[in-house]
């Protein structure tokens, strides 16, 4: 690591000396395995569940996740992302799988997401569904090892656009039409279904039961990130068109049923009907994604109909195979249109990123900005896409390397998720941990985006997340602020319109999410179905008048100075500061500290650089009485030899 300089003075009831480091010592120890009984072994304070039929994860009447034999107690799940490709070492052998699963338990994880398993099974395979037998054996054994350690599973039905077709070497690239075909063609759906039968439907020899019927399997994402608009956007450069051409005849059939004639269509669309006619089914799809028109509004309704039908069809197929868990289609892209597509689901999953990185190639850039400066927009945006009263799962999130403010995620994501009452939190990664430094695989030679296992900043954040989120140190708010939805009446003219950013700031106060107008309770303060004219401060004023928010608590959503309804989370966006004050954990993410910040048992007096500081009780009693505590200090970490193309270090030349 490079030289680092950080001056921070911390005062608590126990003496903590100021930290002053001019140069870090080189790391000699290669092992990263947490030792039993050490302060970082959370297996005692976060005990495992023996997974069997009595401990299936269920959805309670209140829309929370719980263990079947303890249904009155909602459960939070900290998720280990397992996107194990050959570049990251692939799936471990049996010995390593046992050690890895044990380490995940000690780190505090109680669920794992299997991502791109189809690509791993089909790597270098020439024939359809010709799974690599060694990889299949390792996947099966790893699933069993996780289950033995009380770690449940989330599965992607398919992740790769190549599915289980043989003969492809680009399985981790965004190429191919299977995500669309599985929704609109019988051949595509049949391919998707065959994979569920061939992998999830076959008995795992190490558990004695097919994964799809195993109580360890909590949720299935039928096809990762397969929304019609999102897939068309990411593949526009590959396909050479804004929308997939195979959608055009289906769109014409849909328009014909709705309007019946060109005259009726023209009356609604105006001049947009110049591109083709219904008579010969030649009405064109939009050629500009930014178009705002009645045509684009109808295209969204068309997408909704396809996605609702695909949800029903895929869910039924999984149920017919014996699946009793949660089905999570369309797990990203928080647009108004996709929100309506998710309206029939029993639960919702979403992916979200701050300062997203799409490539490891030289010239890739980041913005390098703080997530606190924009009031945690990446978290608020997906929060507004959930449906209240149903489980909510974050299948992917991250504040990515090499952003210098990524220490914020270790506090912001788990604390915000806890406030909102989210059920599963999964920081995306090739794998969340490694057993040792020095593994000879492409993605394990240095810190990279999505390689959080080797990033001490991300790992510190995940450690804090285990306490703040999974242990429950941060409370959930009792205040719901519904964003009312009246069917498709408020569909916008733009295909990528989302909930107004200003209104999502209400998520800094209470829990936000969608709710049908038919489910709205009389007298509840809510955001009206027509968002125009609604302001966050007007909603806050109504909440204060109704006695739902403390009138004395800061709630300046326009300027980002706000304390949550729980009183535990405090944001000062202008200062790039976020504080958490709970009995068990007190923490501060800061850009700098000049005048001092009182957290309770901890006071941060001064800091001349940015970072995250937290103190947590480890002996089950509040910090003020605790004798065993964990102190976390995280700032930044870089690979030696990193090079950039610009002075601000936003454009990468070499990861070092």
């Amino acid at each position: 690591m490079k030289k680092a300089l950080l001056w921070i003075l911390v005062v608590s009831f126990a003496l903590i000396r100021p930290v002053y480091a001019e140069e870090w010592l080189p790391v000699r120890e290669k092992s990263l395995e947490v030792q039993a009984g050490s302060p970082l072994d959370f297996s005692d304070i976060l005990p495992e569940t023996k997974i069997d039929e009595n401990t299936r994860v269920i959805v309670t009447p209140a829309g929370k996740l719980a263990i079947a034999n303890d249904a009155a107690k909602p459960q939070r799940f900290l998720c280990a992302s397992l996107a194990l490709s050959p570049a990251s070492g692939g799936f471990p052998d049996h010995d390593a799988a046992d050690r890895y699963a044990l380490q995940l338990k000690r780190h505090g994880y109680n669920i794992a997401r299997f991502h791109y398993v189809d690509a791993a099974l089909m790597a270098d395979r020439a024939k359809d569904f010709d799974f690599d037998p060694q990889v299949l054996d390792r996947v099966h054994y790893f699933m069993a090892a996780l289950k033995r350690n009380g770690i449940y599973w989330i599965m992607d039905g398919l992740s790769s656009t190549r599915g289980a077709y043989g003969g492809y070497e680009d399985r981790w690239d965004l190429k191919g039409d299977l995500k669309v075909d599985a929704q609109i063609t019988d051949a595509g759906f049949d391919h998707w279904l065959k994979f569920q039968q061939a992998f999830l439907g076959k008995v795992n020899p190490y558990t004695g039961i097919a994964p799809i019927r195993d109580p360890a399997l909590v949720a299935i994402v039928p096809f990762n990130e397969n929304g019609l608009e999102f897939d068309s956007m990411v593949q526009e450069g590959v396909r050479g068109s804004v929308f997939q051409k195979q959608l055009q005849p289906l769109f014409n059939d849909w328009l014909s049923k709705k309007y019946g004639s060109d005259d009726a269509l023209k009356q609604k669309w105006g001049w947009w009907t110049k591109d083709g006619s219904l008579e010969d089914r030649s009405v064109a799809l939009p050629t500009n994604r930014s178009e705002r028109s009645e045509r684009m509004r109808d295209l969204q309704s068309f997408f909704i109909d396809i996605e609702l039908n695909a949800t029903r069809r895929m869910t039924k197929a999984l149920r017919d195979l014996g699946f009793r868990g949660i089905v999570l289609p369309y797990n990203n892209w928080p647009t108004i249109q996709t929100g309506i597509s998710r309206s029939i689901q029993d639960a919702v999953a979403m992916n979200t990123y701050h300062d997203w990185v799409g490539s490891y190639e030289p010239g890739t850039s980041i913005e390098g900005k703080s997530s606190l400066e924009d009031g945690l927009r990446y978290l608020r945006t997906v929060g507004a896409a959930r449906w209240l009263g149903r489980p909510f799962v974050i299948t992917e999130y991250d504040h990515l390397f090499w952003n210098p403010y990524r220490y914020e995620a270790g506090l912001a994501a788990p604390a915000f998720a806890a406030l909102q009452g989210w059920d599963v939190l999964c920081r995306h990664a090739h794998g969340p941990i490694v057993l040792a430094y020095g593994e000879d695989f492409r993605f394990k030679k240095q810190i990279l985006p999505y390689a959080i296992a080797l990033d001490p900043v991300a790992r510190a954040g995940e450690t804090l997340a285990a306490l703040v989120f999974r242990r429950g140190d941060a409370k959930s708010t009792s205040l719901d602020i519904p964003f009312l939805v009246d069917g498709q009446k408020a569909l916008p003219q733009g295909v990528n319109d989302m909930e107004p950013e200003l209104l999502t700031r209400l998520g800094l106060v209470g829990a936000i999410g969608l709710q049908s107008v038919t489910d709205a309770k009389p007298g509840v303060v809510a955001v009206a179905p027509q968002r125009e004219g609604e302001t966050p401060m007007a909603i806050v004023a109504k909440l204060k008048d109704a006695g739902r928010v403390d009138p004395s608590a800061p709630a300046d959503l326009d300027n980002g100075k706000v304390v949550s309804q729980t009183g535990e989370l405090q944001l000062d966006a202008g200062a790039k500061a976020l504080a958490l004050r709970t009995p068990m954990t007190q923490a501060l993410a800061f850009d700098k500290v000049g005048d001092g910040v009182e957290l309770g048992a901890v006071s941060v007096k001064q800091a001349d650089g940015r970072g995250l500081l937290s103190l947590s009780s480890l002996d089950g009693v509040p910090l003020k009485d605790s004798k065993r505590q964990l102190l976390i200090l995280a700032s930044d970490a870089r690979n030696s030899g990193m090079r950039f193309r610009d002075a601000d270090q936003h454009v990468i030349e070499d990861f070092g």
Side-chain angles (χ1 to χ4, degrees):
M1 286 178 194
K2 285 187 171 181
K3 291 182 179 180
L5 180 63
L6 179 65
W7 166 258
I8 182 167
L9 181 61
V10 184
V11 177
S12 76
F13 47 87
L15 178 62
I16 302 174
R17 293 182 179 179
V19 177
Y20 183 76
E22 288 187 337
E23 185 171 356
W24 297 106
L25 297 174
V27 175
R28 305 295 186 191
E29 176 62 53
K30 296 289 186 180
S31 174
L32 289 174
E33 295 184 61
V34 170
Q35 298 303 304
S38 70
L40 294 180
D41 177 7
F42 290 170
S43 50
D44 284 337
I45 63 175
L46 297 170
E48 69 180 80
T49 299
K50 180 182 179 182
I51 300 175
D52 56 28
E53 286 297 333
N54 294 319
T55 56
R56 278 186 180 272
V57 175
I58 62 169
V59 178
T60 70
K64 303 303 297 178
L65 297 185
I67 306 301
N69 62 8
D70 192 12
K73 182 182 178 182
Q75 292 285 329
R76 294 177 184 172
F77 291 87
L78 184 65
C79 173
S81 174
L82 302 175
L84 302 177
S85 69
S88 60
F91 283 89
D93 61 26
H94 291 196
D95 175 68
D98 287 331
R99 292 163 56 205
Y100 198 105
L102 176 61
Q103 287 297 306
L104 289 178
K105 179 178 74 170
R106 289 179 179 171
H107 279 283
Y109 296 102
N110 56 344
I111 199 166
R113 181 195 180 199
F114 285 84
H115 186 47
Y116 273 95
V117 173
D118 48 332
L121 291 170
M122 291 299 299
D124 301 321
R125 311 305 284 183
K127 298 179 181 179
D128 295 358
F129 295 99
D130 181 26
F131 300 154
D132 184 313
Q134 183 185 64
V135 174
L136 181 60
D137 177 78
R138 288 186 173 194
V139 173
H140 278 154
Y141 189 87
F142 196 24
M143 293 169 73
L146 292 169
K147 182 180 178 181
R148 287 195 300 272
N149 282 277
I151 298 172
Y152 292 86
W153 319 321
I154 296 172
M155 290 280 179
D156 286 0
L158 284 176
S159 308
S160 171
T161 53
R162 298 305 188 189
Y165 291 118
Y168 289 101
E169 297 181 358
D170 57 357
R171 298 185 182 279
W172 282 268
D173 295 337
L174 298 175
K175 297 178 181 178
D177 293 324
L178 185 57
K179 289 187 179 183
V180 175
D181 288 347
Q183 299 177 73
I184 67 173
T185 71
D186 287 339
F189 178 82
D190 290 345
H191 183 91
W192 172 87
L193 179 57
K194 187 174 180 179
F195 183 82
Q196 315 314 309
Q197 295 166 332
F199 175 59
L200 293 178
K202 294 293 178 66
V203 171
N204 179 338
Y206 300 107
T207 62
I209 187 173
I212 204 161
R213 294 191 296 275
D214 199 308
L217 183 55
V218 173
I220 296 176
V221 177
F223 210 142
N224 181 61
E225 295 188 342
N226 66 324
L228 294 174
E229 157 58 12
F230 182 77
D231 186 66
S232 69
M233 182 181 64
V234 298
Q235 298 219 47
E236 183 175 346
V238 177
R239 294 185 176 123
S241 62
V242 173
F243 296 105
Q244 297 88 336
K245 294 178 181 178
Q246 61 264 48
L247 292 171
Q248 184 173 348
L250 299 177
F251 188 42
N252 275 263
D253 289 344
W254 186 90
L255 291 171
S256 181
K257 290 179 181 178
K258 180 173 182 178
Y259 293 104
S261 68
D262 285 325
D263 287 342
L265 181 63
K266 184 175 182 180
Q267 186 175 358
K268 184 69 172 179
W269 281 15
W271 71 276
W272 295 103
T273 54
K274 68 177 184 177
D275 297 328
S277 70
L278 283 180
E279 185 175 345
D280 61 3
R281 298 295 193 271
S282 61
V283 174
L285 295 167
T287 57
N288 183 344
R289 179 160 278 105
S290 300
E291 174 186 313
R292 302 191 69 83
S293 66
E294 290 302 315
R295 171 168 68 170
M296 197 64 93
R297 198 195 306 270
D298 269 339
L299 184 69
Q300 292 177 76
S301 290
F302 168 64
F303 284 172
I304 289 169
D305 282 354
I306 289 178
E307 291 172 353
L308 290 176
N309 288 334
T311 292
R312 294 185 183 102
R313 192 179 188 189
M314 289 181 170
T315 300
K316 182 180 184 303
L318 294 172
R319 299 289 183 229
D320 289 345
L321 289 173
F323 183 55
R324 295 164 54 188
I326 302 166
V327 183
L328 299 170
Y330 307 110
N331 63 321
N332 78 319
W333 214 227
T335 60
I336 304 297
Q337 177 259 301
T338 51
I340 297 174
S341 290
R342 287 185 282 266
S343 63
I344 64 170
Q345 298 175 196
D346 294 330
V348 172
M350 290 297 295
N351 300 340
T352 188
Y353 292 93
H354 179 76
D355 221 354
W356 180 76
V357 176
S359 171
Y360 293 154
E361 295 301 316
T364 299
S365 65
I366 61 171
E367 292 185 343
K369 294 181 179 180
S370 163
S371 69
L372 304 182
E373 193 172 8
D374 67 11
L376 303 178
R377 185 171 183 170
Y378 78 115
L379 298 172
R380 291 187 281 113
T381 300
V382 293
R386 70 184 288 202
W387 282 83
L388 292 174
R390 310 177 198 182
F392 188 60
V393 177
I394 295 293
T395 40
E396 297 177 21
Y397 85 91
D398 202 5
H399 184 152
L400 290 152
F401 179 78
W402 59 106
N403 182 295
Y405 293 94
R406 69 189 182 282
Y407 60 82
E408 296 170 346
L411 174 60
F416 188 83
L419 173 70
Q420 295 295 307
W422 296 351
D423 299 88
V424 181
L425 187 63
C426 196
R427 190 165 185 164
H428 189 52
H430 309 135
I433 63 169
V434 291
L435 300 178
Y437 281 120
E439 294 184 66
D440 191 20
F441 298 103
R442 179 188 170 196
F443 290 166
K444 291 185 175 180
K445 294 180 182 295
Q446 73 271 86
I447 310 173
L448 293 169
Y450 311 104
I452 69 171
L454 291 174
D455 182 1
V457 178
R459 280 295 339 139
E462 284 288 86
T463 300
L464 183 57
L467 301 171
V468 170
F469 182 72
R470 186 189 161 191
R471 187 171 70 170
D473 290 7
K475 294 186 298 189
S476 296
T477 179
S478 61
L479 172 65
D480 285 348
I481 309 174
F483 283 50
L484 298 180
V485 178
D486 192 4
Q488 298 188 31
K489 292 181 181 179
L491 268 180
Q493 289 191 332
V495 71
N496 283 322
D497 285 11
M498 302 179 187
E499 293 291 350
E501 184 274 328
L502 283 173
L503 292 176
T504 67
R505 296 180 188 183
L506 291 164
L508 299 169
V509 177
I512 58 174
L514 304 177
Q515 186 178 74
S516 171
V517 292
T518 60
D519 295 329
K521 297 178 181 178
V524 171
V525 177
V527 179
Q530 295 292 337
R531 310 291 193 242
E532 187 175 353
E534 294 278 76
T535 66
M537 292 307 294
I539 298 291
V540 168
K542 293 179 183 178
L543 291 168
K544 288 183 176 181
D545 289 343
R548 299 305 311 279
V549 173
D550 182 355
S552 66
D556 185 351
L557 298 182
D558 291 339
N559 294 307
K561 292 187 176 182
V562 56
V563 172
S564 65
Q565 183 261 353
T566 62
E568 293 183 340
L569 196 61
Q570 180 179 11
L571 171 71
D572 185 341
K576 304 175 192 174
L578 183 70
L580 180 70
R581 298 175 176 90
T582 81
M584 300 294 286
T585 288
Q586 293 164 11
L588 179 70
F590 55 89
D591 187 47
K592 60 182 178 180
V593 178
D595 297 332
V597 178
E598 298 290 336
L599 297 174
V602 184
S603 301
V604 183
K605 297 299 185 183
Q606 187 177 3
D608 69 353
R610 62 178 72 104
L612 165 68
L613 182 136
S614 71
L615 193 67
S616 299
S617 169
L618 294 182
D619 53 10
V621 297
L623 272 174
K624 64 183 181 64
D625 301 316
S626 174
K627 306 280 194 213
R628 192 167 189 254
Q629 304 145 8
L630 177 65
L631 175 70
I632 294 175
L633 175 62
S635 53
D636 198 4
R638 296 286 177 92
N639 301 311
S640 57
M642 284 186 76
R643 292 186 292 115
F644 300 90
R645 292 184 178 180
D646 63 320
D648 292 329
Q649 299 187 348
H650 292 168
V651 184
I652 195 73
E653 180 64 35
D654 190 325
F655 280 105

